[in-house]
Amino acid sequence: MRVPDQSRPAASSSSPVPDLSDYARQVRQTYRALLRRRIGILGVMGALIAGSVLLDFCLGPSGLSPSALVRTLLHPHDVSAGQSVIVWQIRLPYALMAVCVGAALGLAGAEMQTVLANPLASPFTLGVSAAAAFGASLAIIMGWGIPGVSDAWVVSADAFVFAIGSVLMLDMVSRRRGAGTGTVVLFGIALVFAFHALVSLLQFVANEDALQDLVFWTMGSLTRATWPKLDLLAAACVVVAPLSFRAAWKLTVLRMGEERAASLGVDVPRVRRGALLRVSILSALAVSFVGTIGFVGLVAPHIARRLLGEDHRFYLPGSMLVGALVMSLSSVAARNLLPGVVIPTGIVTALVGIPFFLAIVLRRRGLS
Amino acid sequence: MKTGLLAEHICVHYGRRVVLDDLNVGPFPVGHVSALLGPNGSGKSTLLRAMAGLGESRGTVTLDGQDLSRLSFAQRTRRCIYLPQTLPATVHIQVLESLLAAQHATGWTPAQPEGDAVDGALRMLDVFGIADLAMRYMDELSGGQRQLVGLAQALGRQPDALLLDEPLSALDLHHQFAVMEVLRRETARRGIVTVMVLHDLNIAVRMTDYDVILRDGQIIAAGPPRDVITPDTLRATYDITARVETCSRGLPHVMVDGLS
């Protein structure tokens, strides 16, 4: 028996492959080369991120030379206090925060798109960012905080509570009997509108100063990066990413269809719950620390899919790295596009993201 | 001891609607291909899924005397695998990788008689005549090719029972017969139970060994195809007037004369 295959000339009628062992060797070589190529791509992305972080670290409005910056990094006590502050409290946390936020949003988006079987799923499009913005606006405009949380953390803490709440609501909907992935996505879109409306309501009653603060918050900016926040987000990435990678085979099978995955022994509701829990931690932390950063969570998985295919052993880390790279480059652009001005990173990523977004919508191959 | 696949007192309901009520069916014999026949909505797929342990159902399913409900879900799917009617999705992943993923899905890979998982996957693709598709992406394949990949994924897990929901639906005539040949051969060679939902009565009567006809969740007939597929049962099942004739080569052939 033979399946017509246009790319090859018709082989013998009984079997397309006359000698399986020879063919097996050939396929194995091709497959190994493919795996090596994918590892290579991940390596190149890692190198690009390192380069971008260096660029992000060296370029900026302070006018310090790269050598002075590196000297400050290595010998913080030998330079002026001002220079030390620029390097240690501004440049380094910004550059590293960009990487962590990008990685967190990239991984969160990748897992979301897989478990919800939707190419448009991301923390931004399903309401996590909008929920965080509402939490932040409660803190900024109404001054509502969580008891015991210090002033420096109150905006982030409020944003986190609402962001994680929104993912838990998505999770609850996905657990309902008979709720398909389409239902979850629609519910997420409803969340976006609901939280946007609530934020607008608060803006309507806000005084001028608070309004300005909130508008700036929703633009998303890495200038909010501090070491404790960076540590927390980095720790979350380090803990959560291995858990995601461990589920890589199951998630790959899930991509072939929910029913098929179940028939192959994958406990689909459990895998989905686990993924949404990881998504909630990563995206809620990232968004609550830096504000609304659109599109990275949506675009990074699509780029990773094009580059690496959908074997989640590569797709998940790839998505993380693409996210980190896009964020880091956005951070460079945000600080250097206009001389002397740091444009909120959220604006830059959105502008970079829109062409990708349109390209995906107009050419939906790979995930349909 | 290999006594086949037996389902007893199976009850399934979707909401308030009872689909199967205390159904006893089988044993589906080892080494032979069995078919579930019946009109749309008669409960064939539901029965198949219940036997595989998917969805909520009550009753006992035993495979070679072992109560499958005592196994964990992952273990159960290793012994008894269900192949859904929907085709594998058009994912950007190579055919070979999709087979590897299917093997790794429960964190356990079946032992290969020789070589490693890649060899095993290629052998399985070769069984279904699609070894040449190994490095092609799933989103480049036709529906029929994906259905063959799905079959290779299922058989590649080396189950003891193979439950197939309309495995021929996307295949052309040549491949319908070819897949039936492969399934008959592999079922006998591996000593496994194969049960499939079929709509083509001629394939059932010619190429299966044990048939069960269902209507509205009730068994109309069960046994060897020549005993089960008769004008009387076809009228009772499908409301049609039909004959089972013997063709010039002595093979049975179902001919439908009209609605009854």
Side-chain angles (χ1 to χ4, degrees), chain B residues 143-160:
Chain B
Q145 288 171 327
R146 276 185 287 134
Q147 192 156 41
L148 294 174
V149 172
L151 283 162
Q153 285 173 353
L155 198 59
R157 299 250 305 197
Q158 303 182 9
D160 298 313

Side-chain angles (χ1 to χ4, degrees), chain B residues 1 52 60 72 88 99 135 171 195 212 232 241 247 252 257:
Chain B
M1 195 178 69
T60 318
S72 73
L99 259 76
M135 295 310 286
L171 300 178
V195 185
V212 174
D232 288 344
T241 310
C247 79
D257 295 318

